[in-house]
Amino acid sequence: MPLTLMYITNNREIASIAQKAQVDRIWVDMEYIGKEERQKGMNTVKSYHTIEDLVRLRPIVKTSQLMARVNPMHEATKNYCSSKEEIENTIRAGADIIMLPMFKTIREIEDFISIVNGRTKVQLLVETAEAASIISEICKINGVDEIHIGLNDLHLAYKKKFMFELLADGTVERLCGIMKEHGIKYGFGGIARVGFGMLPAEYIIAEHYRLGSSAAILSRGFCDANIIENPSDIEKLFLEGVKNIRNKEKEYVNFTDEQFARNKDIVKQKVDEIVLLKS
């Protein structure tokens, strides 16, 4: 089955382009609590999207699904409403899927699921060391539809220099194995464009297939819409980029164990090279 591809944007025109290119999920990212402190000084995506963005996108997101990442579970503050109110507003705005980030305990997940109460799909983002350590227990919770391994924050939690070290060192494989055993739908990390970068997307896509993953984020390395001004250029990039990913997937469906093992070795080699450059 092809990977579920997700792209973060609150721009109506770009959302329409992504949908036309058959990106499966348009992702509104409302998480901001604690993010600046965790990723201070890093060149990471900090979106600051809002409920209003969901409302604006809902009428045009028709063939794709509309997804929202809310904040970690929290009480109301002078600056922001409580998790309960935020989740209620997200559901009313029409989200098909709600993602919970940065949780550490079973209680947080159960509270989240209780508020959602079956009204949308629930996706958990495993990106803390504490969450990774209880993955077996998480998989047994009723109401969890999907789990995504967030390599950005999880590699920071493990004090790694590069997010894909967790793919090369077996951490992702271990977590995927547990989720597969429990019959949970899962994905991990993001991918850029096929053929580009020090760790091109094709090697990571093959790892998704080897590990039984079903979802990936289209990263800024796929399309950074903040630096491409011409909508026609963005549309061309999306149409060609998604097509190239799907073509690669057709190859990996028929890969042998030996071919997957060879690709795994290449990933480790390339990750080691990148980490060395970061040292």
Side-chain angles (χ1 to χ4, degrees):
M1 180 178 293
L3 290 171
T4 296
L5 300 178
M6 305 177 282
Y7 187 74
I8 297 174
T9 187
N10 65 342
N11 183 296
R12 285 170 59 93
E13 187 170 23
I14 295 170
S16 293
I17 289 171
Q19 182 173 241
K20 180 179 179 181
Q22 298 186 354
V23 172
D24 301 285
R25 292 177 182 173
I26 309 303
W27 177 347
V28 172
D29 184 9
M30 301 186 295
E31 181 195 6
Y32 83 95
I33 295 175
K35 197 167 189 177
E36 188 67 46
E37 292 76 12
R38 293 195 311 273
Q39 300 179 1
K40 189 174 183 179
M42 296 181 65
N43 183 26
T44 53
V45 177
K46 301 177 183 70
S47 301
Y48 303 106
H49 296 171
T50 66
I51 294 290
E52 286 70 29
D53 292 318
L54 276 172
V55 172
R56 288 189 308 106
L57 289 182
R58 182 68 280 178
I60 66 168
V61 178
K62 297 177 180 178
T63 57
S64 299
Q65 292 179 303
L66 185 59
M67 175 174 163
R69 172 162 57 184
V70 295
N71 281 289
M73 297 299 290
H74 63 279
E75 299 297 331
T77 70
K78 64 178 181 179
N79 296 317
Y80 207 73
C81 64
S82 67
S83 281
K84 180 174 175 51
E85 186 175 350
E86 181 183 39
I87 293 165
E88 291 289 350
N89 289 339
T90 301
I91 293 169
R92 278 196 291 270
D96 299 305
I97 304 148
I98 304 181
M99 171 187 276
L100 175 67
M102 292 306 298
F103 60 87
K104 298 180 178 181
T105 67
I106 297 296
R107 176 64 183 272
E108 290 170 276
I109 300 169
E110 291 176 339
D111 288 347
F112 178 72
I113 290 171
S114 176
I115 296 170
V116 173
N117 195 26
R119 291 175 289 173
T120 70
K121 284 188 176 180
V122 165
Q123 185 179 72
L124 303 180
L125 185 61
V126 171
E127 54 183 344
T128 67
E130 292 87 348
S133 71
I134 57 171
I135 190 69
S136 293
E137 289 79 6
I138 291 170
C139 291
K140 297 173 186 175
I141 301 172
N142 289 330
V144 176
D145 296 299
E146 304 173 12
I147 298 175
H148 198 83
I149 304 170
L151 299 184
N152 217 346
D153 277 301
L154 191 58
H155 96 277
L156 296 178
Y158 286 143
K159 303 188 185 307
K160 301 289 186 179
K161 294 180 180 179
F162 178 49
M163 69 176 72
F164 285 107
E165 282 187 82
L166 300 181
L167 183 59
D169 70 9
T171 300
V172 171
E173 184 164 358
R174 179 182 65 82
L175 295 172
C176 288
I178 294 169
M179 292 184 285
K180 184 176 183 178
E181 182 182 333
H182 285 86
I184 295 286
K185 183 178 179 182
Y186 56 90
F188 64 84
I191 51 177
R193 281 184 286 164
V194 170
F196 287 83
M198 294 182 68
L199 184 56
E202 55 265 36
Y203 298 109
I204 302 171
I205 296 167
E207 282 289 89
H208 278 274
Y209 272 72
R210 181 178 73 85
L211 298 173
S213 167
S214 62
I217 302 162
L218 296 176
S219 67
R220 279 184 300 174
F222 178 87
C223 177
D224 188 346
N226 292 318
I227 63 174
I228 304 174
E229 296 182 359
N230 190 334
S232 64
D233 290 338
I234 294 175
E235 182 171 346
K236 181 179 178 182
L237 195 154
F238 263 97
L239 291 171
E240 290 183 356
V242 171
K243 179 182 178 181
N244 289 338
I245 288 172
R246 297 309 187 197
N247 285 338
K248 281 295 176 183
E249 288 184 277
K250 291 174 185 175
E251 293 180 29
Y252 302 141
V253 166
N254 298 313
F255 253 33
T256 64
D257 290 344
E258 182 180 351
Q259 287 174 304
F260 278 127
R262 192 180 309 127
N263 183 82
K264 178 183 176 182
D265 289 341
I266 293 171
V267 168
K268 187 177 188 313
Q269 177 187 339
K270 289 184 176 294
V271 167
D272 287 344
E273 291 170 358
I274 294 168
V275 171
L276 186 62
L277 288 173
K278 289 177 173 284
S279 298

